[in-house]
């Protein structure tokens, strides 16, 4: 476990994004948040190295970036400063499952490819009180698309993410947690390639530095995930949900 984690941290710390996503998709979701004007307060949970944080700050928002992994928070601060928006970003180490903010502290809660880490229902429940009345929730989450599922993809995701559902289930979870769904869209394929391309390219160097069997197995898993996406990526996708505190 220890060897695998060391390899995975080194791998992911070398990336600009740790999930499928793109600046264009972040801005598309932002556009769907009617009335959320520049200057509004947004919290980005599970910010990772901060791709969404920086895009939102560049769009003029005051962004609080939260991640439990300290090196990512350092990266977010460095990237925000380099982008000239350091004064609009507050990056802190914290647990998004038990966020330490006042009720109504934010006009929007944002989370790209991260809510699954604590479980979507738990995340939705923990975040609602942080929103001002009619505040916005934006999250992206891995979902099954409509249509047939191959045995390979079903078995892979059953093992890796057994709680993976479809869009109907995701939207129902939002509604059950007290959010009104206003819109949604699928992340396009180029936003997956933007993640998997650099990830795949970074694996060989990390593999060479972490020869332990456990680390190699963890890196093999990443290769399997990318190969699965290449063959069966039409069966699943990342769904953005745009909702409002009800
Ligand atoms: C798949 S990454 C996505 C990161 C980022 N949103 C992006 O698009 O690059 C998930 C992130 O959630 C963070 N995370 C997982 N559990 C967390 C928790 N309980 N509190 C805060 N961050 C957490 C991880 O450290 C990781 O950075």
């Amino acid at each position: 476990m220890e060897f695998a984690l060391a390899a995975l941290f080194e791998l992911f710390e070398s990336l600009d994004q740790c999930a499928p996503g793109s600046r264009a998709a972040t801005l598309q979701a932002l556009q769907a948040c009617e009335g959320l004007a520049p200057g509004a307060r947004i919290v980005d949970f599970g910010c990772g190295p901060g791709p969404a944080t920086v895009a939102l700050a560049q769009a003029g928002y005051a962004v609080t970036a939260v991640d439990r992994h300290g090196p990512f928070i350092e990266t977010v601060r460095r990237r925000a400063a380099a982008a000239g928006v350091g004064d609009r970003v507050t990056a802190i180490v914290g647990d998004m499952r038990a966020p330490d903010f006042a009720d109504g502290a934010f006009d929007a809660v944002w989370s790209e490819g991260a809510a699954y880490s604590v479980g979507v229902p738990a995340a939705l429940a923990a975040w609602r009180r942080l929103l001002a009345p009619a505040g916005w929730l934006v999250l992206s989450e891995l979902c099954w698309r409509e249509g047939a599922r191959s045995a390979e993809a079903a078995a892979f995701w059953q093992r890796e993410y057994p709680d993976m559902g479809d869009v109907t289930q995701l939207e129902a979870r939002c509604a059950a947690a007290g959010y009104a769904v206003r819109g949604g869209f699928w992340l396009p394929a180029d936003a997956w390639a933007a993640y998997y391309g650099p990830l795949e390219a970074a694996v060989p160097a990390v593999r060479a530095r972490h020869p332990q069997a456990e680390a190699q197995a963890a890196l093999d898993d990443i290769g399997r995930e990318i190969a699965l996406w290449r063959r069966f990526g039409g069966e699943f996708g990342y769904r953005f949900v745009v909702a409002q505190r009800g």
Side-chain angles (χ1 to χ4, degrees):
M1 187 69 174
E2 191 189 316
F3 289 127
L5 282 180
L8 292 176
F9 278 134
E10 182 178 323
L11 179 64
F12 285 106
E13 284 168 21
S14 73
L15 303 177
D16 288 340
Q17 63 187 84
C18 291
S22 70
R23 180 185 191 75
T26 299
L27 297 180
Q28 183 179 342
L30 187 56
Q31 284 231 315
C33 300
E34 223 171 275
L36 188 69
R41 306 153 303 167
I42 301 180
V43 59
D44 180 11
F45 281 126
C47 60
T53 294
V54 172
L56 294 167
Q58 286 178 316
Y61 294 85
V63 187
T64 300
V66 178
D67 202 283
R68 69 177 172 188
H69 188 55
F72 282 152
I73 292 303
E74 291 304 320
T75 300
V76 172
R77 290 184 184 138
R78 200 176 55 247
R79 283 177 78 182
V85 293
D87 57 334
R88 288 198 209 122
V89 172
T90 305
I92 54 180
V93 176
D95 182 0
M96 63 178 162
R97 195 173 3 202
D100 190 15
F101 301 108
D103 291 359
F106 298 104
D107 303 299
V109 168
W110 210 275
S111 189
E112 295 193 19
Y116 77 92
S117 320
V118 298
V120 171
L124 293 172
W127 299 345
R128 187 175 180 278
R129 69 166 187 85
L130 306 177
L131 284 172
W136 291 93
L137 167 79
V138 174
L139 64 85
S140 70
E141 162 73 359
L142 186 64
C143 284
W144 290 109
R145 286 179 177 265
E146 277 180 21
R149 289 175 201 170
S150 60
E152 288 96 326
F156 181 88
W157 290 119
Q158 178 57 35
R159 196 171 60 246
E160 297 296 323
Y161 186 28
D163 201 33
M164 178 174 168
D166 60 14
V167 175
T168 304
Q169 183 192 50
L170 178 61
E171 293 187 353
R173 284 177 162 180
C174 290
Y179 303 85
V181 175
R182 304 291 186 214
F185 60 92
W186 291 103
L187 206 52
D190 67 345
W192 283 78
Y195 167 54
Y196 280 152
L199 178 63
E200 193 171 36
V203 165
V206 177
R207 199 181 268 293
R209 279 193 294 273
H210 296 265
Q212 307 86 355
E214 200 185 82
Q216 298 286 313
L219 296 168
D220 289 346
D221 281 345
I222 288 177
R224 272 193 280 276
E225 182 181 322
I226 297 172
L228 183 91
W229 173 70
R230 291 212 171 100
R231 284 190 66 200
F232 302 110
E235 298 177 12
F236 51 88
Y238 259 88
R239 182 77 181 179
F240 264 83
V241 175
V242 179
Q244 227 169 350
R245 179 178 167 160

